[in-house]
Amino acid sequence: MALRALGLLATGLLPAVVIAAPAEFAQHVLQTRPETVQQTEQAPASPQRKLHGRFLHLTDFHPDPYYKTHSSTEESIACHHGTGPAGAYGAETSDCDSPFSLANATFNWITANLKDSIDFIIWTGDSARHDSDDKIPRTEKEVLASNRMLAESFVSHLSDSNGLSIPVIPTFGNNDILPHNIMVGGPNKWLKSYAEIWRAFIPEAQRHTFELGGWFFSEVIPNHLAVFSLNTLYFFDRNAGIDDCVHPSEPGFKQLEWLRVQLQFLRDRGMKAILMGHVPPARTSGKQNWDETCWQKYTLWLQQYRDVIVGSLYGHMNIDHFILQDTKDIDVSYFEEGALEYAEHVQRSIRKRSQGNLLSTIHDDLTIKSSADYLIDLRDDWAKLPKAAVRNTGNVKADAGKKKSIGGEWAERYQLSLVSPSIVPNYFPTLRVYEYNISGLENAETWKGMSEKSLKMMTVGQGNILQTLDLRDIDSSNQDMQPAGKKKKGDKNKKPDDPYLIIPNPPAKTAHPGPAYSPQPLTLTGYTQFFANLTYINNDAGDFVSPDGRLSVDRWNEGVHKGKQPSHKPKPRPFEFEVEYSTMDDKLYKMDDLTVRSYLELAYRIGQETDKAALVASDGAEGETMQQGEYHDDESKDDHDGFEANGRKKKKKKGGKKKSNKVWLHFLRHAFVSTVPQDELKKL
Ligand SMILES: *[C@@H]1O[C@H](CO)[C@@H](O)[C@H](O)[C@H]1NC(C)=O
Ligand SMILES: *[C@@H]1O[C@H](CO)[C@@H](O)[C@H](O)[C@H]1NC(C)=O
Ligand SMILES: *[C@@H]1O[C@H](CO)[C@@H](O)[C@H](O)[C@H]1NC(C)=O
């Protein structure tokens, strides 16, 4: 173990603010944690800010300095030249990137409408344009400048005389580096640059770890809630610069070790965590975003820390949806390094690297057509969820017996990832405001209060204290580690061979189910999805004939105004976000909160074939009229064998198409941010 700790040290795997058991140390570290914002000690302390129980999630800005209003949306032109329908605030439903005016307007709107009623902001990356224009290839300088511009906008819009007033937690996307998708392990120049660009957001004490891995956390409610910024590029299947999460030399391995150690500290301190990152852990028969070993470990970690994790938020996909991870898919044999032939490993990485090069298509974001395929895959999986996913089927006896199949009362068999659509108007620009339960935290010290205090108390030499703590903690946490809790297939008592696999402890037997599972303080209670109707705001629509090309199968989507030329000067209307829907009053979703249980039920309902089965409500209103027989079998055979195990698509069987139901169509409408009309949704 000591050797191992040394190894971790040598590779730079130092958990950042690792806080040892003694509470006074924890207090000391927390209170002396400086937030690097431009402020002076002389500034008068602002009145203590209270929590609002609300936070903002923004993702995929993709600001493009070359965007030109009324330029062409054609693929080779990308809204940079020529004449065409590109609107003043962006070309909705196209693959063009965002004009700066859209980023600007977004910040202005947030400042006017949200700034004073949110507690923190989660910003999940892709803050530079795509490399879509051969004539103007992206440069390192430009990608960083674009990120800097957005980071500075956050600071300037969210600061008072005492500096940043709420914490912002950034992460990078696969387009925030050059070439896109590819990031090797740290330290590297990108991580160094982002450590500098995000200096106002990354706690000072974690700057060093950040430069080594690109991950950090921020205590958004000191001593209660931390947001973990994960560098998902180290899990990303398309990153040809990494291999897996099994080998200790891999940055993905190191990141998961860091996460494990930190989550354990949070558990010890009675704190909770929100995880966030750019690329979500999508894993369907047709689409797998993460390397399988990374997915496996992450899912295992989340299962073991299910008492700590509040939720997991991602971007990248641009479509509004959610993902359920099933812990039944955890298979520790993936970690058995001993079983991995070295030669095979080398082969694999060579293959992957060449694949990475071949696959460096510009837009790995999904087109409507490929998105629809992906969503249909999700639905096919959801169609197979156990009936117990529905809280009240109207058959009390049957309900009681079946909870086991979903992991008990709180559905702890499953985990949830929430994916927000983008600012870049692949559909319409969006942002999402989450609400969470702050019962009992009304008077908790806020990040702002803490950061102001910490500035006054800042002491020299704290780096040494931290280092001492780090050393001891890696050791002591290793002692706590349990050997594998899960058994290898076919060999019941055998531990995984992987000497580097440390399976975290599960929650204590007496622990209450976590906030992701049972409603309690910090549980996510709902969100409101906002969108900016660019068709209305750009005010060019009258000049174009009816939209076409929406369901284009081409990789590049020219958008609804494809081929049309505006005949006038831009005359946009005032920019505004409006509510698209809210989970808190959505009549079809009928969600009491955003717990896994609520989403499991929604997923089940989306997976049903008939409206009647899909509209069953958790309160049993419609449920009472339901008969068991009206449910389809758990193992809906339908079109699921339309996919081979390797994810390649086969021809669908005749008559295998699942029928639409209202909840599914509603979900689809939201997936494309209400840009696709109902009759076209039905065709999907
Ligand atoms: C963005 O806003 C800033 C100041 O708020 C302004 O100087 C700049 O011209 C704006 N840029 C665009 C493209 O609207
Ligand atoms: C918030 O948590 C408290 C304490 O657990 C609980 O009583 C209350 O019902 C929760 N509120 C919501 C909206 O879930
Ligand atoms: C957006 O605005 C256009 C033009 O006013 C309108 O036709 C369309 O229905 C609006 N879309 C949504 C989702 O509100």
Side-chain angles (χ1 to χ4, degrees):
M1 286 303 170
L3 240 171
R4 173 133 197 275
L6 276 179
L8 294 180
L9 275 181
T11 51
L13 181 68
L14 276 182
V17 190
V18 175
I19 290 140
E24 63 269 32
F25 273 140
Q27 286 309 319
H28 176 77
V29 171
L30 277 173
Q31 283 170 5
T32 54
R33 189 193 62 172
E35 302 300 342
T36 334
V37 284
Q38 290 76 38
Q39 50 185 318
T40 61
E41 282 192 46
Q42 291 94 305
S46 49
Q48 167 82 43
R49 198 189 155 97
K50 298 230 178 201
L51 290 174
H52 300 282
R54 218 173 277 122
F55 67 89
L56 171 64
H57 180 194
L58 291 162
T59 195
D60 296 77
F61 270 86
H62 289 291
D64 180 356
Y66 299 98
Y67 183 99
K68 223 174 109 223
T69 302
H70 289 176
S71 62
S72 165
T73 57
E74 273 172 50
E75 175 164 12
S76 56
I77 298 176
C79 291
H80 288 174
H81 334 270
T83 51
Y89 286 101
E92 76 275 21
T93 72
S94 82
D95 279 351
C96 288
D97 286 319
S98 305
F100 275 32
S101 58
L102 174 57
N104 248 17
T106 299
F107 281 108
N108 291 336
W109 192 85
I110 291 169
T111 305
N113 296 282
L114 292 178
K115 183 187 172 205
D116 296 322
S117 57
I118 51 174
D119 303 327
F120 54 95
I121 297 182
I122 288 178
W123 170 28
T124 47
D126 264 7
S127 308
R129 69 180 170 109
H130 291 91
D131 218 346
S132 315
D133 185 349
D134 291 342
K135 293 199 190 72
I136 324 174
R138 302 194 316 163
T139 64
E140 235 173 87
K141 219 173 126 186
E142 183 204 311
V143 167
L144 291 176
S146 178
N147 266 278
R148 195 182 305 275
M149 188 264 299
L150 288 190
E152 282 170 2
S153 296
F154 275 108
V155 173
S156 64
H157 284 84
L158 300 170
S159 291
D160 57 24
S161 61
N162 279 313
L164 205 55
S165 50
I166 53 170
V168 175
I169 304 88
T171 185
F172 21 64
N174 55 314
N175 290 293
D176 294 320
I177 49 175
L178 223 68
H180 79 296
N181 295 348
I182 299 176
M183 182 187 267
V184 296
N188 62 51
K189 63 183 175 191
W190 292 102
L191 297 177
K192 202 171 156 64
S193 299
Y194 283 108
E196 200 275 317
I197 291 170
W198 295 336
R199 66 194 176 283
F201 314 132
I202 303 171
E204 179 75 13
Q206 295 182 69
R207 285 278 288 279
H208 182 65
T209 343
F210 181 86
E211 286 185 18
L212 299 175
W215 50 76
F216 73 98
F217 68 84
S218 176
E219 280 194 35
V220 294
I221 309 176
N223 297 317
H224 294 282
L225 178 66
V227 175
F228 279 71
S229 174
L230 300 177
N231 179 354
T232 52
L233 299 183
Y234 288 154
F235 303 149
F236 193 28
D237 208 38
R238 294 240 176 143
N239 181 357
I242 55 128
D243 285 326
D244 55 44
C245 288
V246 176
H247 293 82
S249 58
E250 287 290 324
F253 176 96
K254 293 175 194 170
Q255 174 163 228
L256 285 163
E257 285 300 284
W258 166 81
L259 182 64
R260 179 178 62 73
V261 170
Q262 298 302 338
L263 290 175
Q264 184 59 46
F265 279 118
L266 290 200
R267 176 185 279 162
D268 295 346
R269 292 172 62 196
M271 287 181 65
K272 306 295 174 193
I274 290 176
L275 309 184
M276 68 81 130
H278 181 69
V279 181
R283 182 174 175 270
T284 63
S285 52
K287 183 157 193 77
Q288 171 131 14
N289 281 346
W290 289 10
D291 174 88
E292 179 64 11
T293 62
C294 301
W295 187 92
Q296 286 285 336
K297 255 193 193 176
Y298 173 85
T299 308
L300 177 58
W301 273 204
L302 263 61
Q303 185 189 28
Q304 300 301 82
Y305 289 111
R306 63 188 181 275
D307 54 330
V308 176
I309 291 160
V310 173
S312 310
L313 315 183
Y314 292 94
H316 178 68
M317 311 282 277
N318 299 343
I319 44 177
D320 179 341
H321 71 296
F322 61 93
I323 297 166
L324 290 169
Q325 291 107 242
D326 184 352
T327 57
K328 282 252 157 71
D329 292 342
I330 297 174
D331 178 357
V332 286
S333 65
Y334 276 102
F335 314 130
E336 289 170 7
E337 206 206 10
L340 259 185
E341 293 276 334
Y342 184 66
E344 185 201 329
H345 168 64
V346 172
Q347 277 276 309
R348 229 160 57 89
S349 49
I350 291 169
R351 203 174 61 229
K352 196 159 165 185
R353 258 158 246 247
S354 57
Q355 225 173 42
N357 293 337
L358 287 176
L359 285 176
S360 22
T361 44
I362 303 311
H363 276 269
D364 11 59
D365 319 327
L366 303 165
T367 60
I368 289 191
K369 180 67 174 61
S370 68
S371 298
D373 285 346
Y374 164 69
L375 294 168
I376 289 164
D377 283 354
L378 285 179
R379 187 185 181 210
D380 286 343
D381 289 343
W382 296 342
K384 293 187 285 186
L385 288 170
K387 281 173 196 163
V390 176
R391 266 175 276 215
N392 186 350
T393 60
N395 183 335
V396 180
K397 224 164 89 191
D399 288 347
K402 280 184 267 164
K403 292 286 184 281
K404 242 183 146 167
S405 63
I406 58 164
E409 178 69 18
W410 309 106
E412 290 180 291
R413 170 176 162 183
Y414 298 94
Q415 301 163 5
L416 177 66
S417 300
L418 298 168
V419 185
S420 177
S422 54
I423 295 285
V424 71
N426 277 187
Y427 309 110
F428 283 135
T430 69
L431 43 87
R432 182 177 286 191
V433 178
Y434 281 96
E435 306 211 358
Y436 65 104
N437 190 334
I438 50 168
S439 145
L441 295 168
E442 294 85 355
N443 296 310
E445 182 147 36
T446 58
W447 177 90
K448 177 69 171 168
M450 194 65 104
S451 77
E452 280 170 8
K453 208 173 356 169
S454 75
L455 272 181
K456 296 199 185 82
M457 294 177 56
M458 217 198 294
T459 53
V460 225
Q462 63 165 309
N464 292 336
I465 295 169
L466 283 173
Q467 220 139 56
T468 324
L469 292 180
D470 287 346
L471 278 170
R472 201 179 47 214
D473 272 302
I474 285 209
D475 271 347
S476 64
S477 64
N478 274 4
Q479 280 155 19
D480 291 343
M481 286 155 192
Q482 279 201 331
K486 280 244 168 181
K487 282 146 205 156
K488 189 185 170 182
K489 273 189 201 151
D491 187 354
K492 285 192 168 169
N493 298 312
K494 199 163 171 280
K495 292 190 294 182
D497 295 336
D498 185 351
Y500 300 108
L501 176 66
I502 297 156
I503 298 186
N505 288 328
K509 286 249 150 41
T510 54
H512 193 68
Y517 294 93
S518 104
Q520 60 191 271
L522 300 177
T523 292
L524 303 179
T525 51
Y527 68 75
T528 301
Q529 189 71 40
F530 289 88
F531 77 111
N533 186 339
L534 292 191
T535 312
Y536 178 78
I537 295 166
N538 286 331
N539 199 18
D540 290 325
D543 303 297
F544 305 127
V545 240
S546 67
D548 66 340
R550 243 183 190 129
L551 295 173
S552 143
V553 281
D554 305 335
R555 278 212 76 66
W556 179 271
N557 187 4
E558 291 173 34
V560 283
H561 309 304
K562 176 180 180 176
K564 305 296 180 285
Q565 305 276 326
S567 56
H568 56 76
K569 290 217 169 336
K571 46 175 189 336
R573 297 187 171 102
F575 184 90
E576 204 160 10
F577 280 99
E578 57 190 290
V579 173
E580 186 197 7
Y581 70 97
S582 167
T583 62
M584 289 164 283
D585 62 9
D586 192 285
K587 297 274 189 309
L588 284 177
Y589 284 169
K590 296 180 184 169
M591 301 180 85
D592 296 335
D593 52 42
L594 305 184
T595 56
V596 174
R597 196 74 183 77
S598 295
Y599 269 99
L600 190 66
E601 180 165 297
L602 177 60
Y604 179 89
R605 293 166 59 216
I606 290 172
Q608 296 307 298
E609 289 211 26
T610 63
D611 277 342
K612 199 165 184 189
L615 294 175
V616 62
S618 53
D619 59 19
E622 279 97 324
E624 273 155 24
T625 65
M626 297 275 317
Q627 300 298 314
Q628 275 306 107
E630 286 174 296
Y631 283 98
H632 289 262
D633 282 335
D634 286 356
E635 301 295 323
S636 147
K637 298 205 177 54
D638 267 354
D639 54 356
H640 209 72
D641 26 8
F643 296 88
E644 286 170 356
N646 65 6
R648 232 170 281 270
K649 230 173 126 185
K650 279 197 306 190
K651 273 215 185 90
K652 291 221 168 138
K653 280 188 185 166
K654 251 212 230 149
K657 204 162 191 303
K658 197 182 294 296
K659 282 192 212 138
S660 297
N661 74 52
K662 277 184 187 151
V663 185
W664 160 244
L665 288 175
H666 197 56
F667 170 76
L668 266 188
R669 195 184 96 195
H670 294 159
F672 304 124
V673 197
S674 305
T675 58
V676 182
Q678 186 92 352
D679 50 336
E680 286 181 39
L681 290 177
K682 279 188 181 151
K683 288 186 216 148
L684 303 174

